[in-house]
Amino acid sequence: MPVFAAAMDRIFATPSMGAAAVWISATTSQERPIRVIRRAPDRITEFGAARFVSDTMMVDVRLSDLSDPRSGDLIVIGTDSFIIQGEPIRDRERLIWTLDLGPS
């Protein structure tokens, strides 16, 4: 496992993959610099016979950077601000959080 964790650290540190961001707690206003990997997959929602495609914004964050993200916390990437919506999800190895973000 330490080899995999070291590989993840290198991926997040790579400028073409990871981006600098700031996490701000919704309850305490505490701030912390973090590294994120941005993803923006389309989400398909079905309603009866219709299908709607919507944009999403998701980021992956290392648990070593952010131990307890919560719904409502703020993530600032460059000049863009996002609110964590829904419950954060950890990967199988418990190294990475996946956060679903919405515009703030």
Side-chain angles (χ1 to χ4, degrees):
M1 184 72 95
V3 174
F4 186 70
M8 292 308 299
D9 289 343
R10 290 192 65 166
I11 290 170
F12 274 84
T14 303
S16 62
M17 294 288 293
V22 176
W23 164 81
I24 303 170
S25 171
T27 55
T28 66
S29 297
Q30 174 188 1
E31 295 184 14
R32 178 177 306 148
I34 58 174
R35 298 279 303 171
V36 298
I37 294 178
R38 296 173 74 154
R39 297 186 287 137
D42 287 341
R43 183 173 292 154
I44 298 174
T45 306
E46 295 187 17
F47 183 75
R51 293 177 65 185
F52 300 97
V53 178
S54 58
D55 295 333
T56 64
M57 171 58 77
M58 302 180 85
V59 294
D60 292 333
V61 181
R62 294 175 296 181
L63 262 80
S64 60
D65 281 350
L66 189 57
S67 61
D68 192 24
R70 297 177 187 262
S71 182
D73 290 351
L74 192 66
I75 302 287
V76 180
I77 306 169
T79 59
D80 299 323
S81 298
F82 303 95
I83 293 177
I84 298 174
Q85 48 189 25
E87 289 299 315
I89 300 170
R90 289 183 292 184
D91 69 334
R92 186 180 71 175
E93 288 79 21
R94 304 293 194 238
L95 296 174
I96 307 294
W97 286 110
T98 297
L99 308 175
D100 186 7
L101 304 179
S104 65

